[in-house]
Amino acid sequence: MGDPVQLKDEGNKHFQAGDIDKAIDCYSSAIKVCKDKKVLAVIHRNRSACYLKKENFVNAASDASKAIDVDAADIKALYRRCQALEKLGKLDMAFKDVQRCATLEPKNKTFLETLRRLGAEIQAKLKTTFSTDSRVQNMFDILLDDEMEKDKREKAANNLIVLSREDAGAERIFQNNGVPLLLNMVESGKQEMILAAVRTLSGMCTGHKARAMAIVYMVGVDKMCSIMALDSEEIALATCNLFQCINDSLSGGDKREYGKEEALVLDVAKDLKTILLSLLEMVASKKVSGHGRDQALNLLSKNVPRKDKAEKNNSRTLFTIDHGLKKILKVCGQVPELPDQLPLTENTQLIASVLLNKLYDDLTCDPERDNFRDICDEYIKSKIDPNNMDKTIHAINTISGLLQGPFDVGNALVGHQGIMEMMVALCGSEREVDQMVAVEALIHSSSKMSRASFIITNGVSLLKDIYKKTKNERIKIRSLVGLCKLGSAGGDDYSLRQFAEGSTEKLAKQCRKWLCNPQIDTKTRNWAIEGLSYLTNDADVKDDFVEDELAMKAMFELAKSKDKTILYAVACTLINCTNSYEKKEIIPELVQLAKFSKQHVPEQHPKDKKDFIERRVKRLLKAGVTSALAVMVKADNSILTDQTKELLARVFLALSEDPKDRGIIVAQGGGKALIPLALEGTEAGKVKASHALARIAAISNPEIAFPGERVYEVVRPLVSLLHTDRDGIQNFEALRSLTNFAGFSEKLRVKIVKENALPDIENYMFEEHEQIRQAATECMCNLVSCKEVQNRYLEDGNDKMKLLVLLCGEDDDNLQTAAGGALAMLTGAQKKLCTKLTQVTTQWLEILQRLCLHDNPRVQHRGLVVVYNMLDSDDNDLAKKLIESEILEILSVIGKAEDNPQRQEAIDVARACLVKAMELGLIKPFTSPS
């Protein structure tokens, strides 16, 4: 057991040295063994000061209170408790403590200033509270008054929404009978009133578990579902956001400490289950609008599958499959052309397919996957009825939905006896709707090469027959897309073309013709893009397409439309045109071996060479591809899947290859669009987007490329490219972009440091690759003006300073400029580093002299600034040592030189050094010859 007084003294030393954690440990050990009440009070008071430094205000107030319990006039403890209570928002209690301090020491300016400030804050808070209550009531009075002017009601609605987004405002609305009044607004049936009410409820639920649960009970899940079911895209989206806010708050998004209130909101599982069941009911309900159904599916897609596969509990997914899989399959099987179908939007069935895919991917073992497949199999079998064609095409359409989602499940169903035959038979049906559903199913089922070869043998003649005979444009284009897909089954392998020379170009020409015809309905034109997404595997088709500016612009306009089912096809087309797909490395030795053994060897099309690709990229940029991509990125996550995001990121990376094109990308919103792609998606997609960001950030003004607060979001993706797993070119471009950012503002420098980039940057300063080493040194040069970076150089036991000095001795001018600049700034900001510079290597003086004698004026200037900083460092021995060396002769020669605009900065600093040496009495003034 230690001596409490000794432990207290040790804690005091640690506190004065700035080692707060060790001080807390010492004080805590002292508290355990101390028996003397007065000493214990002092220790508690001291530990309270530590907790204030650590911003642990609850413990700081608690320790100060224990000291005050022993001595009510302990002025230090009173003031520390006042500081902690103020930070905790308990202004009235803090005011009482500082009032007591001011009574004990009436002349203490700190106490008087704090007393005045807290008094003013309390008055302002009271004023705000009273005025907020009356404002809330006034807003509701305006909103619920039918005779009130429209603009006043709109203003009141917006004010209410803004107020609900602040915790204090949300609480005032809640306490002032706000929820029943908001329900009255919903009952009015007016869209703007319902929107205002729902958005206000969302604000009130955000980040507050207790309030969110209370609102769930007061409004009711069924009521919220009935609001989301309304046929209004805006209302459905707002209610979806309300459900998401409730889900986040109940399932862990709320991090606040409730204390005793925790018991009231502890068990949220029942409510989350109720919400999940209600959403599943909405999926297959005829009473729900298409927009409402979309949002119900979106909520399931976002909240049911695990976000992190490392988490073992996938019970939400299993529950959803057991209670809702058949309902989701029912949505996939809807055929809008038939009577008595569910209300849908153009996006609904694709969203349902994406949800099915996410649910299947979230399963962890074979029995779970078998159960999923069995439910699908049972559902399809129950719908196939030779006597009821409507039910049968519902089954075939459901398989199409599965083929667009969990492909393996759909593929297995297609392989079942009779399914493919039924699809072929439906193609020959007299009913156009049967033909359309069957052709779509054939298209989706030919995604695998083996399946495509089966259909090429059995289905090409059938599709050609339909294409020639049908007069319905919608069926004609679908059969054409089927032919397009089969024609591109060999990918970009020139030797694996499925059709005769020139056939794919003819198909593409017809697709472009439909695409450019605004008289044709949007869905049919979308299918034209679908066809091009396959055909552009052929380099001849790509080249023809980018030459057709009207076709490109028509595709971009469709990509910006409300129908987002086309995003993947547009992304695939752009991937093909820019050749930015994943390419397998071809090893020459293996090619020779394959030829020798008469195996197939992939061949590159002559138009897939670099100069053709560059020309296509320029054409796409000219046609406005960046603005289309920027709109596509904003699509809802349930349709903009991680795979589609990766494709878009690859396209952006290909577009940003040439530095001259990066300005166009920034001007059309490409910089902003890349940020979400770099933060979310597949690992490969995030890396590609981060690399494209690095290219843009390296040569752009950050304020223009990433306006507002967005610039700070860019730092993390850039830092991620410094990881040793990344390519050298990615490391290099990330360092260049961070150099640009670090030279822009102190806030950006601090952000780079907070993202823990320094260890990686320092690591690359040792890199053998000259360009990477130079880029890392330049980045560090721009970062050293940051206080935290300077502190790292002040620490003992590392070679950071030594490395900078040695880099100054390298032969590369640019490297010397960067390292010399870093040394100049460090020695100017921290005088201790002037002395440390002389201790890290015996070569320091020789390297410094080389810098001062350098031919490059920029390098020479930096060396002379370091000399000046050392003379100005308050270390007389160091200054004397410098002047006794050859440095004095160098300074004299440079200082006496005639003014020269090219070297003026160096000459001026040399003269300043000589003046400083005279001030220190190390040299005497010299007289110029007459």
Side-chain angles (χ1 to χ4, degrees), residues 494-722:
Y494 186 44
S495 63
L496 271 184
R497 285 169 297 167
Q498 303 291 338
F499 294 162
E501 188 81 44
S503 296
T504 48
E505 287 97 307
K506 285 178 186 174
L507 292 172
K509 191 174 180 181
Q510 185 58 52
C511 283
R512 296 206 311 271
K513 184 180 171 185
W514 271 316
L515 175 59
C516 295
N517 187 351
Q519 307 302 318
I520 298 174
D521 67 284
T522 305
K523 189 133 190 174
T524 304
R525 292 172 73 203
N526 286 352
W527 275 101
I529 299 175
E530 189 84 23
L532 286 167
S533 72
Y534 302 124
L535 292 174
T536 46
N537 276 306
D538 185 316
D540 287 317
V541 174
K542 302 178 202 186
D543 248 36
D544 290 345
F545 179 65
V546 296
E547 291 300 321
D548 188 344
E549 196 166 332
L550 283 175
M552 283 194 291
K553 288 187 173 177
M555 183 175 82
F556 298 154
E557 285 308 310
L558 284 171
K560 296 176 187 178
S561 68
K562 282 189 177 181
D563 184 351
K564 298 301 178 188
T565 55
I566 199 62
L567 291 184
Y568 187 75
V570 173
C572 287
T573 307
L574 293 173
I575 279 280
N576 291 336
C577 289
T578 57
N579 283 48
S580 48
Y581 38 75
E582 196 71 53
K583 300 176 190 74
K584 288 182 182 175
E585 188 182 351
I586 296 176
I587 300 164
E589 291 82 359
L590 290 181
V591 172
Q592 292 301 320
L593 190 63
K595 284 179 179 176
F596 178 74
S597 58
K598 296 183 179 176
Q599 296 293 314
H600 170 68
V601 179
E603 290 179 27
Q604 187 187 41
H605 194 292
K607 289 186 178 177
D608 273 334
K609 290 182 178 169
K610 193 175 179 183
D611 52 336
F612 282 94
I613 298 168
E614 286 173 359
R615 193 160 68 242
R616 289 199 290 267
V617 165
K618 303 283 184 194
R619 299 282 303 176
L620 285 166
L621 284 165
K622 187 183 175 186
V625 65
T626 308
S627 58
L629 289 169
V631 174
M632 290 164 74
V633 169
K634 293 175 186 172
D636 195 274
N637 259 7
S638 52
I639 286 185
L640 188 70
T641 59
D642 287 350
Q643 288 73 23
T644 310
K645 286 179 188 174
E646 182 182 329
L647 296 182
L648 297 179
R650 285 177 180 278
V651 174
F652 266 121
L653 186 59
L655 295 174
S656 60
E657 180 82 34
D658 186 347
K660 293 174 188 172
D661 295 331
R662 294 172 196 171
I664 300 169
I665 295 170
V666 169
Q668 295 181 358
K672 292 176 281 186
L674 274 164
I675 297 171
L677 296 178
L679 297 173
E680 291 177 358
T682 63
E683 194 56 38
K686 290 192 285 188
V687 171
K688 301 287 181 193
S690 299
H691 191 183
L693 271 177
R695 285 177 170 177
I696 290 168
I699 61 170
S700 306
N701 180 331
E703 274 187 339
I704 295 170
F706 316 104
E709 294 298 306
R710 286 192 189 92
V711 69
Y712 303 105
E713 294 176 47
V714 180
V715 174
R716 183 169 295 172
L718 297 181
V719 172
S720 73
L721 291 179
L722 298 178

Side-chain angles (χ1 to χ4, degrees), residues 304-587:
V304 172
R306 292 166 296 165
K307 289 180 175 67
D308 181 5
K309 290 290 188 282
E311 184 191 329
K312 290 182 180 177
N313 181 11
N314 69 336
S315 57
R316 288 194 306 272
T317 296
L318 298 177
F319 182 85
T320 303
I321 289 169
D322 288 341
H323 293 81
L325 180 53
K326 288 184 178 179
K327 294 182 173 78
I328 302 165
L329 291 172
K330 183 179 178 180
V331 174
C332 288
Q334 298 298 297
V335 182
E337 289 77 11
L338 294 180
D340 201 30
Q341 300 293 294
L342 298 175
L344 306 174
T345 69
E346 57 269 23
N347 298 323
T348 308
Q349 287 173 301
L350 183 59
I351 297 171
S353 293
V354 171
L355 172 57
L356 287 172
N357 194 44
K358 286 188 174 182
L359 293 174
Y360 189 71
D361 278 352
D362 200 44
L363 301 177
T364 57
C365 59
D366 287 342
E368 291 176 2
R369 294 185 193 96
D370 289 341
N371 177 53
F372 187 100
R373 284 192 283 262
D374 290 344
I375 294 171
C376 294
D377 196 21
E378 182 191 325
Y379 183 82
I380 298 298
K381 283 177 181 173
S382 72
K383 295 296 175 187
I384 291 176
D385 183 352
N387 300 317
N388 187 336
M389 200 51 77
D390 287 0
K391 281 183 76 176
T392 302
I393 64 169
H394 175 92
I396 298 299
N397 217 30
T398 305
I399 293 173
S400 274
L402 284 163
L403 287 164
Q404 292 176 82
F407 182 84
D408 292 342
V409 179
N411 204 32
L413 289 167
V414 172
H416 284 190
Q417 189 176 3
I419 296 288
M420 183 59 79
E421 289 78 1
M422 191 183 299
M423 286 159 61
V424 173
L426 282 170
C427 287
S429 167
E430 291 180 8
R431 280 206 315 178
E432 289 182 339
V433 67
D434 298 346
Q435 290 181 24
M436 196 156 64
V437 169
V439 172
E440 284 188 23
L442 274 174
I443 292 166
H444 295 309
S445 64
S446 60
S447 289
K448 287 269 173 83
M449 184 77 178
S450 57
R451 177 75 51 198
S453 57
F454 167 81
I455 297 170
I456 287 166
T457 311
N458 298 278
V460 170
S461 58
L462 185 71
L463 290 168
K464 281 183 178 176
D465 201 41
I466 294 171
Y467 178 68
K468 287 174 184 173
K469 287 181 181 177
T470 186
K471 291 179 181 176
N472 186 322
E473 290 278 303
R474 298 169 71 197
I475 296 172
K476 198 183 256 297
I477 195 164
R478 281 161 177 77
S479 56
L480 179 72
V481 170
L483 290 167
C484 294
K485 191 167 186 179
L486 299 175
S488 64
D492 67 343
D493 187 345
Y494 186 44
S495 63
L496 271 184
R497 285 169 297 167
Q498 303 291 338
F499 294 162
E501 188 81 44
S503 296
T504 48
E505 287 97 307
K506 285 178 186 174
L507 292 172
K509 191 174 180 181
Q510 185 58 52
C511 283
R512 296 206 311 271
K513 184 180 171 185
W514 271 316
L515 175 59
C516 295
N517 187 351
Q519 307 302 318
I520 298 174
D521 67 284
T522 305
K523 189 133 190 174
T524 304
R525 292 172 73 203
N526 286 352
W527 275 101
I529 299 175
E530 189 84 23
L532 286 167
S533 72
Y534 302 124
L535 292 174
T536 46
N537 276 306
D538 185 316
D540 287 317
V541 174
K542 302 178 202 186
D543 248 36
D544 290 345
F545 179 65
V546 296
E547 291 300 321
D548 188 344
E549 196 166 332
L550 283 175
M552 283 194 291
K553 288 187 173 177
M555 183 175 82
F556 298 154
E557 285 308 310
L558 284 171
K560 296 176 187 178
S561 68
K562 282 189 177 181
D563 184 351
K564 298 301 178 188
T565 55
I566 199 62
L567 291 184
Y568 187 75
V570 173
C572 287
T573 307
L574 293 173
I575 279 280
N576 291 336
C577 289
T578 57
N579 283 48
S580 48
Y581 38 75
E582 196 71 53
K583 300 176 190 74
K584 288 182 182 175
E585 188 182 351
I586 296 176
I587 300 164

Side-chain angles (χ1 to χ4, degrees), residues 174-192:
F174 188 79
Q175 298 293 347
N176 281 275
N177 200 35
V179 178
L181 291 168
L182 289 167
L183 282 173
N184 288 347
M185 288 169 63
V186 171
E187 295 303 329
S188 72
K190 295 173 183 171
Q191 177 161 328
E192 66 275 10

Side-chain angles (χ1 to χ4, degrees), residues 745-810:
S745 75
E746 179 64 17
K747 277 183 80 175
L748 276 170
R749 286 191 283 275
V750 170
K751 178 68 176 170
I752 292 168
V753 173
K754 280 187 177 176
E755 289 296 340
N756 204 27
L758 287 179
D760 286 324
I761 296 168
E762 287 163 355
N763 183 40
Y764 287 118
M765 288 170 72
F766 288 96
E767 178 67 44
E768 285 183 19
H769 192 288
E770 290 180 7
Q771 285 178 295
I772 293 178
R773 182 174 55 176
Q774 180 192 317
T777 310
E778 286 171 352
C779 189
M780 186 58 73
C781 178
N782 282 359
L783 283 168
V784 292
S785 58
C786 181
K787 190 78 174 171
E788 288 183 51
V789 181
Q790 293 167 15
N791 291 338
R792 285 172 74 91
Y793 277 89
L794 284 166
E795 290 169 6
D796 293 324
N798 63 63
D799 289 333
K800 294 179 178 64
M801 198 69 181
K802 182 178 180 179
L803 177 62
L804 271 185
V805 176
L806 293 176
L807 288 175
C808 288
E810 293 286 327

